Amino acid sequence: MDAHDGVDPSDHAHRHVLPSLDVVAQARTYLDAPGDQLEEGPVSSQPHIVHKPTLEDQLGLGERMVNKDKLDYKLMELYDAVQDQQAAHTDQGQDITKYAERLDWAAALVDDAIHMRDPKHRMDRASLRIYRAYHSKTARALVLVTVFTIMLLAYFEFPTLYPLPISASACIEGLCLAILAFDGLIQLRVYGSSYIVHENAWVLGRFVIVAANLVDLIWACTHGGSTQRYTRMLRCYYLVDYNDSTHDLCKQVVATFSNMAKFILGLLCYMFIMAIIAIVLFSNTTDQADYMTNLFTTFLSLIELFTTDNFPDIMFPAYRQTRWSALFFIVYLGLGLYLGFNFLIALVYANFKKAAIKEATHNHILRRSALLASFHMIDSDHSGQIDFEEWSELYKKVCPTASDVESRACFESVDKDQSGYIDLEEFFQLCDSFILGVEKRKIYFKPLFKSKLLKRLLHHVVFEVMMNLIILANGILVVHTILSASPVYSYHDQLMYAIYDGLFLGLFILEVGLKNVVWGFASTWWLKVDIILLSLSLLGKIVFQPFVFGPSTLAPLAVVRVGCVFSCLRLLRILTSSKGLRFVTKSAAKLAPTIVQFICIIFVVNYFFASVGTLAFYGKLVRDNPRLEGSDYAEMDFFQFAHFNDWTSSTLTIFHLMVVDDWAATMHAAMLAVASDWACIFFLVHYFTGVIVILNLVVAFIIEAVIVVTSQTDTEDEQDETMQEGLNQVKASIRLLDDMFSHEIEEIEKERTITSLQDQLPLLKDHKIAH
């Protein structure tokens, strides 16, 4: 059948008919595209749900095309880009058939798949060198340091408690802007202007913000650095634009927030209706003249009530008149807070999961597209298979430190039929298992001393509980030491603390030493943690103990505190002291990298609102402002920390608003300070954005991530136990075989001895006759 049957020859996705289209057909089988599956049928420009043929059916398709969806477009567009560059090289007279160059391209595409990068970059030699340098750890670390430097520079710019000379801050900011602009130019060089304009507008946004920051910097320099930076909040963009992962996370947050906007609007409508009912029920019924007499203030009060702030203050004026008024507030909070808010959390979780799945599907398509193109690069004869030599060369390109043995083990793990060749499906399995890090091989350490009794004792639940109690007792000793050391620490107290602390430390060293002997030195991650913690604690005791027992009979409290800090390190061992706690610690460690990304999102949101708050309320929340006299803000003396008069206090104030404790006092003070009720919009937007959406988004992510991580950890533990049981069975089989063959070997030796004697007997007889 002709390769172009049912396909418009002018279609961009089919400009180049590639060799071995059965490879593309196989790829469609194993790519988890949105929707369900694919079936044969007429070509349509619209994706639809169809049935996926089996692998055997796909392999028999030959050059016959199946339904095309957006996955087909991605695959074929990538092939178009690669072949266009090949044609350009051919026009330049370069030998593009060189296998070494194709291997470099294949390694670059696999590297794209590893790091979830878009593979549509230029593939000429110069561009590949620049591309690898751009994505090197050193280059990315430099950009990350630059981003945080320019953002944290706000702590030393006007208004601040720690000002830098304008010349110093201007030089630092100018250098950071130059590095960020150069980083954007590198992306422009590597990906091309057409790709940047049509598919990656993040770089264009960076150029615009760098230009705006530069103009703002020049304006600040002309005024001696005594003016506010109006484009400071735009610096958040640099962190969001750091890499593809931050792009994806930002898209997920924006998608979740856009889907949540309708529900938040409905929640505000509910509060507005309840505010009207409150005015109908309680206006002019209390001794408080302004209680529920204004629609705006009533609406604002109910929002405060929704945040669980000032509940008694808002309800009590009506409650003093009649206790039945409590029913209104119970119904309002029951429907709005306990039902609506929890429904909001569930909605955030559902929308975030939906957005995350969408981004994950997109990234999966990019990954599979890159791997498919890589497979085509190293499949020089277009047979749809690659041999071990081709795989080994690619593997060493991607993992330069890999050995031949490791490469062979990887290859043979998926080459089930031992044919010496792998197809596209097996190539995907190889890359997923050994390059993309989905599956990691375990290294089992040989114990220094074999004792089942000792191992069972150290693993016993009673022993683990006893060690936890000893760790907690060590913590109680530290607390007693600090409390009894004020203001000075007597020699008797020093001696007793040294004795007890030494006993605890010796006991812990003995326990960890026995575990290292039984399981093998530093054979597990929790043994490594124990060794590190005890080493630091021992180092602190060696260094600071002589200062405590100095020439003076009284040790300063500061030295005692430092020594106790090193003792407190041992308390962290409770996280690894039992199997259950080790599971929690291991799960949290796996979540750490992604949690850091969400911490960065929270940092970006708070940074933005701190910048806006500093611009809007600088110099307003001060003691000299007569408008604040008699306010709750003044009575609670919030002037010391809840204000926007310097950048450090602004960030602390935003955190105070995020905690939602007495935040309404700060909001009302800001409204009084600027003499405008519209100032509440800043605080309400921060609440619904930073508290309702972002924090609940973090909760939603942690719920989803914990489910995944715990399932993975359970699977790994089961695999470890299965592997250990397998090793024990192998050892038992070896011992059994040794016993069986030792008897047979003895019989064979006996037979050999008898045969040898029988052979020597005639010689001995002849020798006897001769004598």
Side-chain angles (χ1 to χ4, degrees):
M1 186 175 182
D2 185 54
H4 292 280
D5 285 349
V7 180
D8 184 3
S10 62
D11 194 330
H12 172 76
H14 302 280
R15 280 185 307 170
H16 302 288
V17 179
L18 300 174
S20 185
L21 285 178
D22 58 329
V23 175
V24 181
Q26 290 181 60
R28 291 195 194 92
T29 307
Y30 299 101
L31 289 171
D32 301 327
D36 277 305
Q37 307 168 358
L38 299 170
E39 69 176 359
E40 302 174 332
V43 176
S44 170
S45 60
Q46 298 296 330
H48 57 281
I49 298 176
V50 288
H51 300 287
K52 180 170 68 176
T54 63
L55 174 61
E56 292 75 18
D57 295 334
Q58 289 285 359
L59 291 174
L61 287 177
E63 294 185 345
R64 191 171 59 182
M65 301 298 294
V66 297
N67 282 328
K68 61 183 180 182
D69 57 3
K70 63 182 181 181
L71 180 57
D72 298 326
Y73 287 114
K74 286 285 184 183
L75 298 176
M76 298 307 296
E77 284 176 3
L78 180 59
Y79 271 117
D80 289 342
V82 172
Q83 288 199 354
D84 286 343
Q85 294 186 50
Q86 289 180 350
H89 281 277
T90 303
D91 294 340
Q92 298 170 9
Q94 298 184 14
D95 185 9
I96 63 154
T97 61
K98 279 187 176 180
Y99 184 72
E101 186 171 354
R102 295 172 67 88
L103 192 63
D104 286 338
W105 291 0
L109 290 169
V110 171
D111 200 48
D112 292 334
I114 293 173
H115 299 97
M116 295 286 193
R117 296 196 290 257
D118 197 328
K120 294 181 183 178
H121 51 81
R122 293 172 174 171
M123 295 239 182
D124 56 276
R125 291 183 178 179
S127 296
L128 274 182
R129 284 196 297 267
I130 297 174
Y131 181 75
R132 289 194 176 100
Y134 173 79
H135 285 293
S136 65
K137 292 182 179 180
T138 303
R140 303 321 300 157
L142 174 63
V143 174
L144 186 62
V145 170
T146 302
V147 169
F148 277 105
T149 299
I150 195 171
M151 294 185 71
L152 297 179
L153 195 60
Y155 285 93
F156 306 97
E157 295 173 337
F158 181 86
T160 180
L161 299 175
Y162 318 102
L164 277 177
I166 183 60
S167 57
S169 62
C171 290
I172 296 174
E173 185 175 358
L175 179 61
C176 292
L177 292 177
I179 293 175
L180 294 171
F182 182 73
D183 181 75
L185 291 174
I186 293 295
Q187 292 188 53
L188 194 63
R189 168 65 177 82
V190 169
Y191 287 95
S193 58
S194 177
Y195 174 81
I196 295 297
V197 171
H198 295 96
E199 298 191 40
N200 189 5
W202 292 93
V203 179
L204 298 180
R206 177 185 295 191
F207 288 142
V208 172
I209 291 176
V210 166
N213 287 155
L214 184 59
V215 172
D216 195 14
L217 174 61
I218 295 173
W219 175 263
C221 290
T222 57
H223 289 74
S226 59
T227 60
Q228 291 210 53
R229 306 300 302 276
Y230 297 98
T231 62
R232 180 182 290 156
M233 74 282 295
L234 300 180
R235 296 175 182 174
C236 304
Y237 185 87
Y238 300 136
L239 186 56
V240 175
D241 187 37
Y242 173 65
N243 59 19
D244 291 337
S245 297
T246 55
H247 291 171
D248 293 342
L249 191 58
C250 181
K251 291 176 184 177
Q252 294 169 19
V253 172
V254 172
T256 303
F257 186 78
S258 60
N259 292 329
M260 295 298 304
K262 295 179 180 179
F263 182 80
I264 293 176
L265 182 61
L267 193 62
L268 290 174
C269 290
Y270 165 76
M271 296 177 185
F272 185 78
I273 294 172
M274 295 300 287
I276 294 175
I277 296 174
I279 291 176
V280 172
L281 294 177
F282 305 120
S283 61
N284 301 317
T285 60
T286 65
D287 298 335
Q288 191 171 330
D290 58 346
Y291 185 73
M292 304 292 184
T293 57
N294 182 280
L295 183 58
F296 175 78
T297 56
T298 303
F299 176 62
L300 203 59
S301 296
L302 292 186
I303 293 178
E304 296 173 27
L305 197 60
F306 179 80
T307 66
T308 66
D309 188 30
N310 293 341
F311 169 69
D313 296 337
I314 295 174
M315 186 189 71
F316 274 180
Y319 185 76
R320 292 191 186 99
Q321 298 298 322
T322 171
R323 293 191 175 185
W324 290 103
S325 62
L327 290 176
F328 169 82
F329 298 95
I330 292 173
V331 171
Y332 170 73
L333 289 178
L335 294 177
L337 178 62
Y338 299 112
L339 182 62
F341 186 74
N342 290 322
F343 180 78
L344 183 65
I345 295 176
L347 201 60
V348 168
Y349 173 74
N351 283 288
F352 169 75
K353 188 174 182 179
K354 181 180 177 181
I357 290 174
K358 182 179 178 181
E359 289 300 322
T361 303
H362 172 73
N363 290 333
H364 188 64
I365 291 173
L366 287 181
R367 171 181 285 182
R368 284 293 187 255
S369 301
L371 292 179
L372 176 61
S374 175
F375 185 87
H376 174 67
M377 287 294 136
I378 56 179
D379 181 22
S380 55
D381 57 356
H382 307 301
S383 63
Q385 292 180 324
I386 61 175
D387 57 21
F388 170 71
E389 286 72 18
E390 292 171 326
W391 158 255
S392 180
E393 292 175 352
L394 175 64
Y395 189 81
K396 291 179 180 178
K397 280 281 186 180
V398 179
C399 305
T401 59
S403 62
D404 293 334
V405 175
E406 184 178 358
S407 178
R408 171 67 70 177
C410 295
F411 187 86
E412 292 179 350
S413 65
V414 297
D415 185 20
K416 302 299 183 183
D417 56 359
Q418 303 298 320
S419 63
Y421 295 91
I422 57 174
D423 57 16
L424 184 63
E425 177 196 3
E426 295 170 335
F427 180 72
F428 284 168
Q429 293 176 4
L430 271 178
C431 293
D432 286 342
S433 299
F434 297 100
I435 295 180
L436 301 180
V438 176
E439 181 180 316
K440 296 181 180 178
R441 286 162 292 175
K442 303 292 183 180
I443 299 177
Y444 294 91
F445 293 81
K446 184 178 180 181
L448 302 177
F449 175 74
K450 296 181 180 180
S451 174
K452 292 183 178 180
L453 178 62
L454 183 58
K455 190 173 184 178
R456 194 179 299 115
L457 174 64
L458 295 176
H459 243 331
H460 199 277
V461 63
V462 175
F463 180 82
E464 291 180 347
V465 171
M466 182 181 67
M467 292 309 303
N468 287 338
L469 293 176
I470 293 175
I471 292 173
L472 295 177
N474 193 179
I476 295 174
L477 174 65
V478 172
V479 172
H480 174 73
T481 301
I482 289 296
L483 294 179
S484 62
S486 180
V488 291
Y489 203 34
S490 65
Y491 183 82
H492 177 268
D493 293 334
Q494 298 171 27
L495 181 61
M496 296 305 297
Y497 172 73
I499 293 174
Y500 289 127
D501 188 68
L503 288 176
F504 279 117
L505 182 59
L507 187 60
F508 293 145
I509 291 176
L510 177 62
E511 176 212 358
V512 174
L514 289 175
K515 289 181 177 179
N516 277 278
V517 167
V518 171
W519 277 281
F521 181 74
S523 58
T524 61
W525 67 269
W526 49 273
L527 281 179
K528 295 176 183 177
V529 172
D530 286 344
I531 292 172
I532 293 173
L533 292 177
L534 288 182
S535 299
L536 292 175
S537 181
L538 180 61
L539 178 64
K541 188 172 184 62
I542 294 173
V543 172
F544 286 94
Q545 198 68 51
F547 290 96
V548 174
F549 289 97
S552 174
T553 58
L554 300 178
L557 183 59
V559 176
V560 177
R561 290 184 186 276
V562 174
C564 289
V565 166
F566 282 93
S567 297
C568 288
L569 293 176
R570 303 173 211 160
L571 305 182
L572 298 177
R573 291 195 58 245
I574 200 169
L575 300 177
T576 63
S577 59
S578 63
K579 185 177 180 180
L581 291 174
R582 285 197 293 269
F583 173 79
V584 174
T585 306
K586 187 175 181 180
S587 301
K590 288 185 176 181
L591 292 175
T594 314
I595 289 178
V596 168
Q597 291 185 347
F598 273 94
I599 292 175
C600 290
I601 291 294
I602 296 174
F603 172 72
V604 165
V605 172
N606 289 346
Y607 189 95
F608 178 85
F609 279 99
S611 302
V612 176
T614 304
L615 286 174
F617 305 110
Y618 169 70
K620 304 296 183 181
L621 299 175
V622 294
R623 295 183 186 274
D624 298 336
N625 193 335
R627 296 173 180 172
L628 299 179
E629 292 182 3
S631 64
D632 293 338
Y633 180 88
E635 291 179 358
M636 291 186 290
D637 196 19
F638 275 13
F639 295 105
Q640 296 182 5
F641 78 99
H643 58 79
F644 297 92
N645 301 326
D646 61 83
W647 180 257
T648 304
S649 299
S650 296
T651 54
L652 182 60
T653 302
I654 293 299
F655 182 78
H656 150 67
L657 297 176
M658 188 174 65
V659 174
V660 198
D661 183 27
D662 289 327
W663 72 280
T666 305
M667 179 182 69
H668 288 292
M671 294 165 60
L672 292 173
V674 299
S676 175
D677 291 339
W678 293 105
C680 69
I681 295 178
F682 169 81
F683 297 89
L684 295 181
V685 170
H686 173 267
Y687 174 77
F688 283 103
T689 303
V691 179
I692 296 295
V693 176
I694 300 299
L695 292 185
N696 287 323
L697 194 64
V698 175
V699 173
F701 162 76
I702 291 177
I703 292 174
E704 183 68 18
V706 165
I707 294 173
V708 175
V709 169
T710 51
S711 62
Q712 290 179 351
T713 306
D714 288 340
T715 303
E716 290 176 1
D717 291 341
E718 291 176 1
Q719 290 176 350
D720 290 345
E721 292 177 0
T722 304
M723 180 66 74
Q724 195 63 47
E725 290 177 1
L727 290 175
N728 294 334
Q729 292 176 2
V730 170
K731 292 177 181 178
S733 300
I734 292 174
R735 287 195 296 268
L736 181 61
L737 290 174
D738 287 342
D739 295 338
M740 293 172 58
F741 283 110
S742 61
H743 178 69
E744 294 183 5
I745 290 172
E746 290 178 359
E747 294 294 331
I748 292 172
E749 292 294 335
K750 289 180 180 179
E751 292 178 2
R752 287 180 178 177
T753 303
I754 294 172
T755 303
S756 176
L757 292 174
Q758 289 175 350
D759 293 339
Q760 294 178 9
L761 186 59
L763 297 177
L764 292 174
K765 289 181 178 180
D766 294 341
H767 183 70
K768 184 176 181 182
I769 293 171
H771 280 286

